[in-house]
Amino acid sequence: MALITYRDAVNQALAEELARDPNVFVMGEEVGQYKGAYKVTRGLLEKFGPDRVIDAPISEAGFCGLGVGASMLGLRPVVEFMFWSFCYVAFDQVINNAANIRYMSGGLINIPIVFRGPANGGTNVGATHSHTPENFVANTPGLKVVCPATPHDAKGLMKAAIRDNDPVFVMENTLLYGNEGEVPEDDYVIPLGKAEVKREGTDISLIAHGRCAILCLEAAEALASEHGINAEVVDLRSIRPLDEEAILESVKKTNRAVLVEENKPFCGVAAQICSIIQEKAFDYLDAPIKRVSSIDAPQIYSMPLEKLQIPSVERITEAVLEIA
Amino acid sequence: MSAKPNTETPEEHDVAASLREYAKKGINEGIDNKTRLDYYREMVRIRRFEERSLRAYQQGNIGGFLHLYIGQEAVAVGCVSVMKEDDHIITAYRDHGHGLAVGMSMNECMAELYGKHTGCSKGKGGSMHYFAPDKNYWGGHGIVGGQTPLGAGIAFALKYKKLKGACLCFMGDGATNQGPWYESLNLASLWDLPVVFIIENNGYSMGTALGRHSIGTPLARRAEGYDIDWSTCYGHDVYEVRHNVGAALERAHESSRPTVLEIMTYRYRGHSVADADDTYRTKQDIQDYKNTKDPINLFHDHLIEEGIADADTLKQINAEAKEEAEQSAKFAEQSPFPPESDIQADVYWETDNPDERTSEGTLFFN
């Protein structure tokens, strides 16, 4: 195992899949010559050439739709959003076309495309650049969406996403790109839809995805050392498909749950998980389910306030202490 | 540039003479009589199908929207007739004519309108969403202009695979004011994509006339800003359509360059049949076009004048098409609706191929 950054883990996944399958190509703003706005795609242009690592103009609707069209004919585009916040200008292409064409054609056409890029706040860039649209995507049948938290998961899920025959939306996080972690050197994939218990515990379940899973791990350590609470951390990794079994198994063991996500609370991913738990594990609950989400307002620019707006170790700890 | 100003009035444009001229020109030279007759048959089949579907709609057998192609038949038939093996086609929601022209059966098309399981999309797409990928027909798309980046993507894929093919990407005049088309034009020219954007200009963006929705005509001239070759032509003459599409396809095949081709045509029915048709034009406007430029009547008279067919033969073709359309309505009526279990089929490749599934977890939330 090598210790590499989240950024390099995604890079390796892209390079390996480009090498493995000639139908895979990478397209997006600044992905080639500039090496990626966050350097995720560095080295790919040199290795695979301009036919397969393609710099697109700032035309999300154009190049996302072009990717969908190319995927209809069997290519496997990996299309980068510099920020997932920019997907809204391509919404018709990703929501109407990528999600619906298979269905509306009665299953005659597949859309094996990946849309990827960072989706997070906490970077002091204001409301237009801080969206976390995994709940929008998960609300759209026909699409799959994953939010890896570690370098290991980022690589394994990205490779699985590229090999998948359905459209998969991979949401990364600029605050995680520099994080290091152990990543196997051999070829591996992590199946979409498989959660991971990242910390075993007995007293309460912290269920999260993306960077919030990392925050939960930190909170769990603080809860153990300062309050004697042994929290379990379930990292969903994938939102749709969703590992309901892992969620329910953990809740049935700990009897308490705090759901943590960077989504705004109304119709966030945690709202769906809350519904699943109350329906399928109601009798196991010893306390109401608590949620920690971003404070319900457009993303604030002011740095100290934005830190308060998005979930933090402190807010997670407070929520746990209210019910544990 | 091969721009031809389209300023002639119907009176000035001698349609019959022009038809005779195009019948012998370039790509149309040396076509055998059987093939010429086939163009007539295809146009007639589209019109009889559309008329029968309108009746089904009026009888309440078809719901939703029904965007009829009546009046525009020579465009789809002419364009499709020029396509070669690796050429592909995509269009918007006025898609029945293109579907029949590429060889979809009336039965599967009519059954789809009825929402039946025997429809081309198993009753899941409806009027606006016909697909036949086995015939290189990639839809059938409901959002105005939304198919234009897909068309560029099909062309991209053909070039990526090093195939000598092109994509005919159809759109209406209304779609020329949607942003994604301009993004597609830029990408198509920047990356030398073999795509032909065909504007079927029927004069109305839903219920708003050309002069009230667009500034700067011909619309195809907008291609100049992207260094894309463009031209305009009439859409009532199947030969003229073939001539112009043929040139655009040759450009795509030989130099992998895009084209914008604007074809002047006309629709006889409302935007959708449920829409009021009397707020933006008069019955006389429609009648004037029918009297002077109806693509089927013109071609009918031309075939007789040229001695390619007699009136009885053409009458017979009409009767056969009418009967085929009638039978397709019967087929649709007698076909079953999809089973309830079909609501969640065809959503994901994986759930339709459970033995090959690689992901885990829940995909549907009920």
Side-chain angles (χ1 to χ4, degrees):
Chain A
M1 296 254 256
L3 197 64
I4 63 169
T5 61
Y6 189 112
R7 169 185 291 112
D8 287 341
V10 177
N11 181 277
Q12 280 186 9
L14 298 174
E16 288 174 19
E17 294 307 301
L18 279 162
R20 198 182 64 84
D21 183 350
N23 284 326
V24 175
F25 68 92
V26 169
M27 174 181 283
E29 294 154 7
E30 315 290 356
V31 297
Q33 194 178 44
Y34 193 82
K35 304 178 196 308
Y38 288 94
K39 305 304 167 202
V40 170
T41 50
R42 69 182 162 199
L44 298 181
L45 175 65
E46 292 77 1
K47 216 178 283 179
F48 299 100
D51 290 345
R52 299 186 64 203
V53 179
I54 301 159
D55 281 317
I58 302 174
S59 301
E60 283 87 0
F63 68 76
C64 288
L66 185 147
V68 174
S71 78
M72 297 195 300
L73 266 68
L75 298 188
R76 291 183 176 270
V78 181
V79 179
E80 175 176 310
F81 285 114
M82 191 182 295
F83 298 94
W84 266 102
S85 291
F86 302 165
C87 78
Y88 300 108
V89 296
F91 230 41
D92 183 46
Q93 299 304 322
V94 298
I95 300 294
N96 256 325
N97 287 344
N100 290 339
I101 285 174
R102 175 162 223 283
Y103 194 69
M104 295 191 305
S105 69
L108 293 175
I109 300 170
N110 297 319
I111 311 290
I113 194 169
V114 171
F115 292 103
R116 57 155 290 272
N120 57 284
T123 53
N124 198 213
V125 291
T128 57
H129 285 56
S130 303
H131 289 284
T132 53
E134 63 268 28
N135 56 332
F136 285 34
V137 174
N139 188 243
T140 308
L143 302 182
K144 297 172 176 173
V145 54
V146 298
C147 303
T150 65
H152 174 263
D153 293 349
K155 183 172 175 184
L157 287 168
M158 186 67 70
K159 285 163 70 82
I162 294 170
R163 296 180 195 184
D164 203 279
N165 288 331
D166 293 310
V168 185
F169 292 34
V170 183
M171 303 205 179
E172 302 155 19
N173 190 311
T174 57
L175 297 177
L176 297 178
Y177 279 146
N179 284 10
E180 290 189 329
E182 298 275 354
V183 173
E185 275 153 49
D186 56 331
D187 178 40
Y188 73 99
V189 294
I190 296 173
L192 311 183
K194 193 165 167 55
E196 184 180 59
V197 175
K198 283 203 159 51
R199 184 187 194 278
E200 295 219 17
T202 51
D203 301 334
I204 191 164
S205 300
L206 305 181
I207 300 167
H209 61 273
R211 179 169 166 267
C212 286
I214 307 292
L215 298 179
C216 285
L217 286 170
E218 287 176 38
E221 292 311 314
L223 286 163
S225 60
E226 293 165 28
H227 302 280
I229 294 169
N230 185 9
E232 177 151 296
V233 177
V234 180
D235 176 6
L236 296 173
R237 302 199 290 197
S238 170
I239 307 303
R240 189 171 184 154
L242 182 69
D243 193 344
E244 284 190 273
E245 211 175 300
I247 295 166
L248 296 170
E249 200 178 306
S250 181
V251 171
K252 285 176 183 176
K253 182 169 80 171
T254 66
N255 312 115
R256 287 176 168 79
V258 174
L259 314 181
V260 187
E261 63 175 341
E262 204 179 305
N263 265 168
K264 301 299 190 300
F266 195 98
C267 296
V269 169
Q272 177 68 27
I273 293 168
C274 204
S275 159
I276 290 168
I277 294 173
Q278 71 79 26
E279 189 185 333
K280 297 180 178 171
F282 186 76
D283 290 340
Y284 292 86
L285 288 173
D286 287 344
I289 301 165
K290 292 287 291 182
R291 292 179 59 193
V292 177
S293 310
S294 287
I295 292 171
D296 202 8
Q299 202 82 358
I300 193 162
Y301 165 70
S302 182
M303 193 189 294
L305 272 75
E306 193 192 13
K307 284 187 176 141
L308 297 176
Q309 186 174 17
I310 62 177
S312 60
V313 172
E314 293 72 31
R315 282 177 57 204
I316 297 166
T317 309
E318 277 168 30
V320 170
L321 293 176
E322 282 182 43
I323 57 167
Chain B
M1 306 293 162
S2 52
K4 190 180 74 173
N6 187 49
T7 51
E8 293 167 300
T9 63
E11 288 73 28
E12 288 165 342
H13 182 69
D14 186 340
V15 289
S18 176
L19 196 65
R20 279 195 299 278
E21 190 190 324
Y22 274 110
K24 299 182 189 78
K25 204 167 167 181
I27 196 170
N28 297 315
E29 199 185 353
I31 307 172
D32 61 38
N33 286 352
K34 184 189 166 296
T35 307
R36 293 178 195 269
L37 211 53
D38 283 343
Y39 300 152
Y40 180 76
R41 182 179 292 105
E42 286 311 311
M43 291 197 285
V44 167
R45 284 181 70 241
I46 292 170
R47 184 161 300 184
R48 299 290 95 89
F49 176 87
E50 295 290 62
E51 286 167 351
R52 186 61 186 85
S53 72
L54 174 60
R55 248 173 66 214
Y57 186 93
Q58 288 161 340
Q59 290 162 344
N61 292 320
I62 297 174
F65 299 132
L66 186 67
H67 305 95
L68 297 178
Y69 200 63
I70 298 175
Q72 304 184 205
E73 295 90 345
V75 181
V77 171
C79 290
V80 168
S81 72
V82 187
M83 287 169 62
K84 297 204 165 66
E85 195 184 344
D86 284 323
D87 293 328
H88 293 248
I89 166 174
I90 188 166
T91 187
Y93 43 80
R94 199 175 305 283
D95 60 351
H96 308 168
H98 309 78
L100 293 173
V102 298
M104 293 173 77
S105 74
M106 279 198 197
N107 280 0
E108 63 181 320
C109 289
M110 189 66 84
E112 187 61 30
L113 300 182
Y114 276 64
K116 296 300 182 75
H117 201 211
T118 50
C120 49
S121 296
K122 304 181 197 166
K124 291 179 167 177
S127 165
M128 299 187 282
H129 309 114
Y130 281 9
F131 293 88
D134 61 321
K135 298 174 176 68
N136 294 358
Y137 183 37
W138 299 95
H141 294 271
I143 304 296
V144 174
Q147 80 284 9
T148 54
L150 300 180
I154 291 166
F156 176 93
L158 293 168
K159 189 177 177 189
Y160 189 95
K161 293 178 173 191
K162 303 193 186 329
L163 294 168
K164 200 174 178 176
C167 180
L168 299 182
C169 180
F170 291 82
M171 52 194 284
D173 47 305
T176 61
N177 293 318
Q178 285 280 42
W181 184 49
Y182 294 98
E183 299 191 21
S184 305
L185 287 176
N186 184 54
L187 293 173
S189 189
L190 185 67
W191 294 342
D192 294 319
L193 301 181
V195 57
V196 184
F197 292 106
I198 298 175
I199 305 166
E200 291 191 69
N201 182 351
N202 63 23
Y204 301 96
S205 164
M206 197 174 160
T208 305
L210 181 67
R212 296 181 67 239
H213 73 65
S214 286
I215 191 78
T217 54
L219 298 168
R221 187 163 56 92
R222 298 178 184 190
E224 277 182 25
Y226 300 92
D227 284 344
I228 295 176
D229 287 330
W230 61 279
S231 63
T232 66
C233 77
Y234 283 115
H236 56 261
D237 173 354
V238 71
Y239 292 138
E240 185 174 347
V241 170
R242 280 173 48 80
H243 182 83
N244 283 274
V245 179
L249 272 178
E250 193 181 333
R251 180 177 297 122
H253 291 159
E254 299 308 320
S255 37
S256 193
R257 285 294 297 168
T259 301
V260 175
L261 170 59
E262 180 178 357
I263 303 182
M264 309 303 173
T265 182
Y266 202 73
R267 68 167 149 78
Y268 296 175
R269 294 283 166 176
H271 164 74
S272 170
V273 295
D275 297 321
D277 199 22
D278 55 359
T279 57
Y280 58 93
R281 61 179 178 179
T282 64
K283 281 198 169 69
Q284 193 55 48
D285 291 334
I286 303 167
Q287 199 54 50
D288 287 347
Y289 191 92
K290 279 187 192 174
N291 291 344
T292 56
K293 287 188 177 175
D294 182 85
I296 293 175
N297 289 346
L298 280 173
F299 202 56
H300 173 278
D301 295 349
H302 170 80
L303 290 173
I304 292 175
E305 278 166 25
E306 295 292 307
I308 294 167
D310 57 34
D312 283 347
T313 306
L314 302 181
K315 208 172 161 187
Q316 176 69 16
I317 287 172
N318 261 287
E320 283 167 8
K322 200 173 175 188
E323 177 59 17
E324 188 186 359
E326 192 55 39
Q327 288 305 320
S328 75
K330 274 203 184 106
F331 171 81
E333 276 160 27
Q334 288 162 4
S335 289
F337 285 107
E340 197 178 333
S341 60
D342 229 36
I343 294 174
Q344 287 187 319
D346 305 315
V347 181
Y348 294 101
W349 178 87
E350 273 206 319
T351 44
D352 296 333
N353 298 277
D355 295 345
E356 295 172 77
R357 184 174 176 187
T358 53
S359 81
E360 300 178 17
T362 310
L363 269 168
F364 292 114
F365 298 82
N366 294 316

